[in-house]
Amino acid sequence: MGEAKRKKQERAAWPDSDGYNGTIDLHVLPPAMEIDGARIRELTGDDTIPDTTQVILRAFRAVVGERTFHVGFCLGDGESFSAVGIAVIERLSMEAPGAALHIVPIVHDDIAWDIVMRHLRSFTGQVLLFTFPNSDVYDAGTAEVSYSKHIRQFDPSGALLGRLTEAQRRKIREQKAAMLNRPPPPRFYPASGVTQEDSPWIFRVGTPAGKVIRTAVWDGRRNYAHELPEDIVRWVGGDRIAIVQVDSPVGVNRRSSLDLTHKLAKDFDGVIHWARDTDTFQSILKSFIRLDLDSVSPPELPAGWEPEIVIFAANGDHA
């Protein structure tokens, strides 16, 4: 069976609620007068931040099908953020006080927009924040917001904003290419008083045998120092769940983690890849995206659900 036909059959076998392919509406949040230079200095503790009264923030109310949540974009590494990023977090917190901030760090510019769209289409929380390490990755992950046919933008008054034309996009690219000696990324600051969580990375996988399961990827940060969240098994569901400690990045053909998932799917209904460190996490993540695995939301689970969980290590030859 051809790969395209098999993927089509896999998608048809799953509920429509697991995937959303319609238009995403992003409503620009109105400026908040209280978020100015003085407030950002207070939040960061950095007295060198200028005393400006106007701060432009990339913060939105997203409407995705029947789901509504708030989303922001900023420079940062996932644990600390630029001064403007701190302001974005403050603005999002005003819309959803006390809600957990789900963070998606994006490091690869070639898949940045893919990552943004995957999370917009599958996110089920209240507040989502995309962070980028530098301006190049930031541009790769945010530019298409202004011209993608899958996105509609509205200004704070509710008026629909026009999409950039090809001529406008070309001019922007030319201007960027002409820039020399680009400034380094700004200083990053920790965000205090905000509950931060990693946003789930969940993929739908169909095995050659025809079984379809969810597989999740978790970043252990530094030698598994970033412990698994208690509810991570709910990301994949099923009666039997495998949690695999992956010690090294995926193979050069980018299929080794997928092959491991196929093997485990014979005996398990869900698979969680627990990466030793961020490099391994990013390697698995990039491989799954380049293999065009669908990103999905967590499943709906019955009351009293108690799966069997098995934790084991995958050696470097198979991870």
Side-chain angles (χ1 to χ4, degrees), residues 27-48:
H27 298 258
V28 178
L29 295 181
M33 294 183 61
E34 55 266 53
I35 302 179
D36 56 10
R39 177 56 177 162
I40 297 175
R41 285 201 304 270
E42 179 183 348
L43 292 170
T44 61
D46 188 344
D47 292 334
T48 66

Side-chain angles (χ1 to χ4, degrees), residues 75-76 106-107 109 131-140 183-186 188:
L75 293 179
I106 301 177
V107 300
D109 56 1
T131 68
F132 309 86
N134 55 55
S135 59
D136 286 337
V137 182
Y138 180 90
D139 290 344
F188 292 163

Side-chain angles (χ1 to χ4, degrees), residues 29 60-62 68-72 92 95-96 123 126-128:
L29 295 181
F60 305 85
R61 176 173 58 89
T68 299
F69 54 90
H70 292 90
V71 59
L92 295 174
E95 297 297 319
F123 183 63
Q126 296 183 58
V127 185
L128 178 65

